[in-house]
Amino acid sequence: MLYYSLKNYKNLVSFEDAVLTGLSPDGGLYMPKCIPKLDTKFIRKLPFHDIYTLAMLIIKPYIGKYIPEEFIDKIIHDTLNFSFPMKKIHDNIHVLELFHGPTLAFKDVGAKFMAGCLSFFSKKLGKSITVLVATSGDTGGAVAKGFHQKPGIEVIILYPYNGISSVQKKQITSLGDNILALEIHGSFDDCQSMVKKAFLDKEVNKKYTLTSANSINIGRWLPQMFYYFLAYRQMIIKNPIELIFSVPSGNFGNLCAGMMAEKMGLPIKFFIASTNINDTIPRFLKSTKYHPLPVKKTISNAMDISDPSNFSRIWHLYHKNIFQLRKKLYSYKFTDEETLASIKMIWSEYQYMLDPHGAIGYLGLRQYLQKVNNVSEPSVFLETAHPIKFLDHMPFSLQKKILFPKELEVFLNTKNKNQSIPLSNDFNVFKNWLLERK
Ligand SMILES: *Cc1c(COP(=O)(O)O)cnc(C)c1O
């Protein structure tokens, strides 16, 4: 499969180059040249395939000859090594739990898959690859865990010294080995700008083969299609049904992966993009004006993004046509008060504990179902993180009721001391550190 840049359709690169570079040199995101169609027989048989066979059939055409099938199979087994259960909340509303991975957020799948691909390319090129990431929290943990002890790869994570939660910090700094954590005396924006400068710096690039592991990389983005197939597979299918999905959205990568699954032939009736008050997309769908405002802090902070990178992919998938997009996508925003109220309501009525991100997914679905006045439509919202990850933001009355998952114990009990290197937010200090080490 070849990939073109959204800034210039003539700039075609291989799967390998798209994963290694992340973003096209012209600044555009990569898109696959074509979207393979799965036949209806495949869709009907979907519940009878095991998840590894299924994942292989979905992802193989996007990789093509760049990674041998037996190695793709290994990456898939490595990536899908935890469960993705779906549970009924009420009526025909279901929750798909994506938080059973090692860092308790859905980003684990994309990070693991990308690490597997990079590790293969590093061996093939005979070069060590350095992954540079700036994180405001969740990405750092998922990337650290996903890339830990992968041969041929080292990871350097920059995080703001007082910008992340203690669980997130532990996840980034406790692994050691090929994972290096830099505590930057500055904000997340400082971290991001230092990383961007490093990518453009000649001397740094002479010493390192750099790549980024942010969510626009196709190696992280495409495997998220699996979730939608795994949800469909868990519905009992006598007659082919069409599902409705509500996706709590920040950078819109997860939603856009769902739209790819639909284009491949998965029967999806509608998508709902559920956001917090950083509501550029709900406003865009109403007014057709794309007008990002300054980011506002919320309790669903993994979605505090006002200019979502992956929206350019969605816009492209729907031929930059607002009428086509509106036929498939609804979008609603919710405040922190509404989010907290729904967490309490779902706990008291149905004894299910949502996190603030999943709660927004639920609210989006409910708003849509009320609008069409039909709660019996089969529908799914994605629960993207475990509530313990956002403990401080959970309703105070419920905090004691949240069960401590065993995945986290492994982290918190780890004997490793926190290993991080404090650095100022001056790019030259970072650059010298990069050039002088080893
Ligand atoms: C990253 C993240 C999101 C947003 O996903 P996007 O693909 O960026 O839209 C939602 N919830 C949680 C918990 C996340 O970590």
Side-chain angles (χ1 to χ4, degrees):
M1 175 76 77
L2 293 175
Y3 292 79
Y4 56 82
S5 159
L6 283 181
K7 288 249 167 91
N8 182 349
Y9 301 167
K10 288 193 187 117
N11 288 347
L12 288 169
V13 300
S14 65
F15 174 79
E16 177 171 345
D17 286 340
V19 170
L20 283 168
T21 52
L23 197 66
S24 166
D26 63 23
L29 272 66
Y30 285 120
M31 250 349 236
K33 201 168 164 225
C34 66
I35 300 176
K37 278 262 181 231
L38 300 162
D39 62 16
T40 46
K41 218 157 85 199
F42 171 85
I43 301 294
R44 259 184 279 124
K45 289 235 170 87
L46 218 135
F48 306 105
H49 288 298
D50 69 73
I51 62 169
Y52 309 109
T53 312
L54 191 61
M56 178 64 87
L57 289 166
I58 297 162
I59 204 76
K60 176 111 205 290
Y62 292 95
I63 300 177
K65 61 181 194 306
Y66 296 98
I67 302 180
E69 186 159 332
E70 59 285 7
F71 204 88
I72 302 177
D73 191 54
K74 195 169 154 301
I75 298 174
I76 288 173
H77 275 81
D78 229 27
T79 303
L80 300 179
N81 67 348
F82 49 89
S83 60
F84 303 87
M86 190 153 75
K87 292 168 183 167
K88 194 168 185 157
I89 302 286
H90 62 81
D91 296 293
N92 221 342
I93 298 183
H94 302 76
V95 56
L96 182 72
E97 296 183 346
L98 301 179
F99 56 74
H100 294 277
T103 75
L104 310 177
F106 83 97
K107 293 188 173 68
D108 284 326
V109 161
K112 253 298 183 43
F113 196 90
M114 185 185 161
C117 296
L118 272 187
S119 194
F120 176 83
F121 294 136
S122 151
K123 192 161 172 203
K124 185 185 145 201
L125 298 170
K127 270 201 237 176
S128 140
I129 295 171
T130 302
V131 178
L132 267 190
V133 239
T135 184
S136 57
D138 264 3
T139 297
V143 169
K145 187 69 194 167
F147 286 72
H148 185 219
Q149 295 178 336
K150 284 272 171 224
I153 303 181
E154 70 169 356
V155 180
I156 302 175
I157 301 173
L158 285 74
Y159 67 90
Y161 77 114
N162 67 355
I164 66 178
S165 80
S166 52
V167 168
Q168 288 171 331
K169 185 168 169 175
K170 187 95 187 169
Q171 290 179 333
I172 294 168
T173 61
S174 66
L175 292 168
D177 301 321
N178 63 331
I179 311 294
L180 277 131
L182 301 184
E183 184 167 273
I184 304 300
H185 206 86
S187 66
F188 168 65
D189 288 329
D190 293 337
C191 297
Q192 198 153 31
S193 120
M194 290 162 81
V195 165
K196 279 190 184 147
K197 281 183 189 155
F199 277 109
L200 298 174
D201 190 277
K202 277 211 182 85
E203 288 166 84
V204 171
N205 281 282
K206 223 168 142 186
K207 176 165 172 183
Y208 294 93
T209 306
L210 289 181
T211 187
S212 82
N214 61 21
S215 66
I216 57 171
N217 192 302
I218 58 160
R220 263 188 72 184
W221 171 55
L222 291 172
Q224 299 181 89
M225 288 188 295
F226 298 158
Y227 303 142
Y228 300 84
F229 287 92
L230 293 178
Y232 196 83
R233 183 175 173 271
Q234 290 183 66
M235 286 278 183
I236 297 165
I237 303 166
K238 291 210 184 83
N239 307 305
I241 48 158
E242 283 193 310
L243 280 177
I244 296 165
F245 277 98
S246 171
V247 186
S249 295
N251 224 353
F252 281 68
N254 202 0
L255 175 71
C256 186
M259 291 176 153
M260 292 288 288
E262 195 265 336
K263 298 266 177 199
M264 286 181 84
L266 193 68
I268 297 176
K269 193 168 177 186
F270 287 119
F271 291 97
I272 297 149
S274 305
T275 73
N276 60 31
I277 53 169
N278 294 290
D279 62 344
T280 306
I281 302 308
R283 283 187 287 112
F284 173 76
L285 283 178
K286 270 203 201 103
S287 69
T288 69
K289 290 196 178 67
Y290 190 87
H291 182 54
L293 300 168
V295 175
K296 298 179 203 89
K297 281 197 173 218
T298 73
I299 57 168
S300 47
N301 58 26
M303 312 198 304
D304 290 353
I305 294 171
S306 102
D307 187 7
S309 327
N310 283 292
F311 194 70
S312 63
R313 283 187 167 129
I314 293 177
W315 193 224
H316 177 77
L317 275 177
Y318 290 87
H319 311 290
K320 305 186 181 181
N321 180 320
I322 192 73
F323 301 104
Q324 283 190 29
L325 184 60
R326 278 180 186 150
K327 277 188 199 152
K328 214 69 196 181
L329 181 68
Y330 287 81
S331 189
Y332 305 111
K333 66 129 184 239
F334 300 95
T335 63
D336 282 355
E337 290 71 31
E338 290 168 310
T339 308
L340 287 169
S342 73
I343 294 175
K344 287 187 199 160
M345 186 280 280
I346 292 289
W347 175 255
S348 70
E349 299 280 320
Y350 310 105
Q351 288 73 55
Y352 189 86
M353 190 74 78
L354 291 168
D355 99 299
H357 304 80
I360 285 180
Y362 170 78
L363 283 168
L365 196 51
R366 206 182 54 180
Q367 181 139 343
Y368 165 78
L369 292 171
Q370 273 167 359
K371 181 180 128 87
V372 297
N373 199 13
N374 181 2
V375 280
S376 63
E377 289 198 54
S379 53
V380 181
F381 66 96
L382 307 187
E383 175 50 290
T384 47
H386 191 289
I388 198 98
K389 258 198 123 161
F390 297 94
L391 190 59
D392 300 346
H393 294 315
M394 291 293 285
F396 187 71
S397 57
L398 298 184
Q399 290 186 2
K400 284 212 175 67
K401 297 197 167 72
I402 302 170
L403 299 178
F404 211 79
K406 59 179 186 317
E407 292 89 342
L408 200 61
E409 266 165 42
V410 178
F411 262 109
L412 299 183
N413 294 338
T414 170
K415 295 228 167 48
N416 289 349
K417 283 203 290 280
N418 284 357
Q419 308 172 11
S420 69
I421 301 164
L423 274 190
S424 95
N425 60 353
D426 178 349
F427 173 69
N428 286 316
V429 175
F430 176 46
K431 177 175 167 176
N432 286 336
W433 178 83
L434 282 169
L435 294 178
E436 280 164 16
R437 58 191 285 266
K438 268 197 265 183

